[in-house]
Amino acid sequence: MDILIKPIVTEKMTEQSEKFNRFGFVVNRRATKIDIKAAVESMYNVKVASVNTMNYQGKKKSRFTKAGAIEGRTASFKKAIVTLVEGDNIDFYSNI
């Protein structure tokens, strides 16, 4: 099971990482906090202090076209906010 799907790189998460040493990830829906902690520690070689998770349900979306109204849903996902111990840091841009 692939735990970490992608990092969340937004203005809000960048501010959180600078102020509170917290980093966000979109993770597998079945992953537990213990799984997420182990995956982050092994992938980025850091020490994790805590993990907070949130489950997001997909939103209903609709648009109007020539053929009529089309309705659908966005994908549901799970988000994890990982707090690192003091002194550790993750650089998402090092591989670019």
Side-chain angles (χ1 to χ4, degrees):
M1 173 169 67
D2 199 21
I3 305 293
L4 301 177
I5 297 172
K6 65 180 180 179
I8 300 171
V9 183
T10 59
E11 277 187 50
K12 188 173 183 178
M13 282 312 305
T14 303
E15 187 177 333
Q16 290 272 323
S17 65
E18 291 170 358
K19 285 186 178 180
F20 305 112
N21 210 21
R22 292 184 184 143
F23 298 89
F25 296 93
V26 175
V27 297
N28 189 316
R29 300 264 332 237
R30 295 184 179 197
T32 63
K33 291 182 180 186
I34 297 166
D35 296 336
I36 296 165
K37 179 178 178 178
V40 171
E41 287 179 344
S42 66
M43 183 174 280
Y44 295 104
N45 297 320
V46 293
K47 186 77 174 156
V48 174
S50 67
V51 177
N52 298 75
T53 59
M54 293 157 263
N55 285 306
Y56 283 89
Q57 294 299 318
K59 296 180 183 178
K60 287 182 85 172
K61 297 281 187 169
S62 62
R63 64 179 182 203
F64 298 98
T65 63
K66 290 180 183 178
I70 299 174
E71 291 188 1
R73 292 186 73 86
T74 58
S76 299
F77 63 96
K78 186 173 190 174
K79 183 164 84 169
I81 307 298
V82 178
T83 306
L84 303 181
V85 296
E86 196 69 33
D88 282 350
N89 195 14
I90 296 174
D91 186 17
F92 293 129
Y93 302 107
S94 63
N95 296 339
I96 297 176

